[in-house]
Short mmCIF file of all heavy atoms in Angstrom, two decimals:
data_model
loop_
_atom_site.label_atom_id
_atom_site.label_comp_id
_atom_site.label_asym_id
_atom_site.label_seq_id
_atom_site.Cartn_x
_atom_site.Cartn_y
_atom_site.Cartn_z
N GLN J 292 4.94 133.31 -41.05
CA GLN J 292 4.27 132.75 -39.77
C GLN J 292 3.18 133.68 -39.37
O GLN J 292 2.32 133.29 -38.53
CB GLN J 292 5.30 132.72 -38.67
CG GLN J 292 6.52 131.86 -39.02
CD GLN J 292 6.21 130.55 -39.66
OE1 GLN J 292 5.50 129.75 -39.12
NE2 GLN J 292 6.72 130.36 -40.87
N LEU J 293 3.06 134.85 -39.90
CA LEU J 293 2.03 135.81 -39.60
C LEU J 293 0.76 135.65 -40.53
O LEU J 293 -0.24 136.41 -40.36
CB LEU J 293 2.52 137.27 -39.61
CG LEU J 293 3.63 137.59 -38.65
CD1 LEU J 293 4.11 139.01 -38.94
CD2 LEU J 293 3.20 137.40 -37.22
N ILE J 294 0.83 134.71 -41.49
CA ILE J 294 -0.20 134.59 -42.50
C ILE J 294 -1.06 133.39 -42.14
O ILE J 294 -0.46 132.27 -41.94
CB ILE J 294 0.32 134.56 -43.92
CG1 ILE J 294 1.05 135.82 -44.23
CG2 ILE J 294 -0.73 134.24 -44.93
CD1 ILE J 294 1.82 135.79 -45.52
N ASP J 295 -2.33 133.54 -42.16
CA ASP J 295 -3.22 132.45 -41.81
C ASP J 295 -3.04 131.28 -42.77
O ASP J 295 -3.13 131.46 -43.98
CB ASP J 295 -4.63 132.94 -41.83
CG ASP J 295 -5.67 131.90 -41.34
OD1 ASP J 295 -5.28 131.02 -40.60
OD2 ASP J 295 -6.88 131.94 -41.74
N GLY J 296 -2.79 130.10 -42.30
CA GLY J 296 -2.66 128.89 -43.06
C GLY J 296 -1.21 128.61 -43.51
O GLY J 296 -1.01 127.60 -44.13
N LYS J 297 -0.32 129.56 -43.30
CA LYS J 297 1.11 129.34 -43.73
C LYS J 297 2.09 129.26 -42.54
O LYS J 297 3.27 128.97 -42.74
CB LYS J 297 1.52 130.64 -44.55
CG LYS J 297 0.79 130.80 -45.87
CD LYS J 297 0.96 129.64 -46.76
CE LYS J 297 0.21 129.78 -48.08
NZ LYS J 297 0.43 128.63 -49.03
N HIS J 298 1.57 129.39 -41.31
CA HIS J 298 2.51 129.37 -40.17
C HIS J 298 2.91 127.97 -39.79
O HIS J 298 2.13 127.03 -39.84
CB HIS J 298 1.93 130.09 -39.01
CG HIS J 298 0.40 129.90 -38.80
ND1 HIS J 298 -0.17 128.73 -38.62
CD2 HIS J 298 -0.59 130.86 -38.84
CE1 HIS J 298 -1.49 128.82 -38.53
NE2 HIS J 298 -1.71 130.14 -38.63
N GLN J 299 4.14 127.87 -39.35
CA GLN J 299 4.70 126.60 -38.87
C GLN J 299 4.85 126.64 -37.38
O GLN J 299 5.04 125.63 -36.65
CB GLN J 299 6.09 126.27 -39.52
CG GLN J 299 6.07 126.37 -41.00
CD GLN J 299 5.27 125.17 -41.59
OE1 GLN J 299 5.26 124.05 -40.99
NE2 GLN J 299 4.70 125.36 -42.79
N LEU J 300 4.82 127.89 -36.80
CA LEU J 300 5.09 128.13 -35.36
C LEU J 300 3.70 128.41 -34.73
O LEU J 300 3.06 129.40 -35.00
CB LEU J 300 6.00 129.24 -35.18
CG LEU J 300 7.36 129.15 -35.78
CD1 LEU J 300 8.20 130.43 -35.52
CD2 LEU J 300 8.18 127.94 -35.23
N GLY J 301 3.29 127.50 -33.82
CA GLY J 301 2.01 127.63 -33.15
C GLY J 301 1.87 128.86 -32.30
O GLY J 301 0.76 129.37 -32.08
N VAL J 302 3.05 129.49 -31.84
CA VAL J 302 2.97 130.55 -30.96
C VAL J 302 2.44 131.85 -31.57
O VAL J 302 1.98 132.72 -30.93
CB VAL J 302 4.45 130.81 -30.37
CG1 VAL J 302 4.84 129.68 -29.51
CG2 VAL J 302 5.45 131.09 -31.54
N VAL J 303 2.43 131.96 -32.93
CA VAL J 303 1.97 133.14 -33.55
C VAL J 303 0.67 132.88 -34.30
O VAL J 303 0.13 133.79 -34.95
CB VAL J 303 2.99 133.70 -34.62
CG1 VAL J 303 4.28 134.13 -33.88
CG2 VAL J 303 3.28 132.64 -35.65
N ARG J 304 0.09 131.75 -34.10
CA ARG J 304 -1.12 131.42 -34.82
C ARG J 304 -2.33 132.38 -34.45
O ARG J 304 -3.14 132.71 -35.32
CB ARG J 304 -1.52 129.95 -34.53
CG ARG J 304 -2.71 129.44 -35.31
CD ARG J 304 -2.84 127.96 -35.12
NE ARG J 304 -1.66 127.29 -35.72
CZ ARG J 304 -1.44 125.97 -35.64
NH1 ARG J 304 -2.34 125.26 -35.03
NH2 ARG J 304 -0.38 125.45 -36.12
N ARG J 305 -2.39 132.73 -33.20
CA ARG J 305 -3.47 133.61 -32.84
C ARG J 305 -3.41 135.02 -33.40
O ARG J 305 -4.38 135.74 -33.36
CB ARG J 305 -3.52 133.70 -31.25
CG ARG J 305 -2.27 134.28 -30.63
CD ARG J 305 -2.34 134.27 -29.15
NE ARG J 305 -3.39 135.16 -28.70
CZ ARG J 305 -3.64 135.42 -27.42
NH1 ARG J 305 -2.86 134.89 -26.41
NH2 ARG J 305 -4.60 136.29 -27.04
#
Side-chain angles (χ1 to χ4, degrees):
Q292 305 315 299
L293 299 175
I294 299 176
D295 188 24
K297 297 296 180 181
H298 36 60
Q299 307 291 329
L300 303 176
V302 292
V303 296
R304 185 168 299 175
R305 60 182 297 186

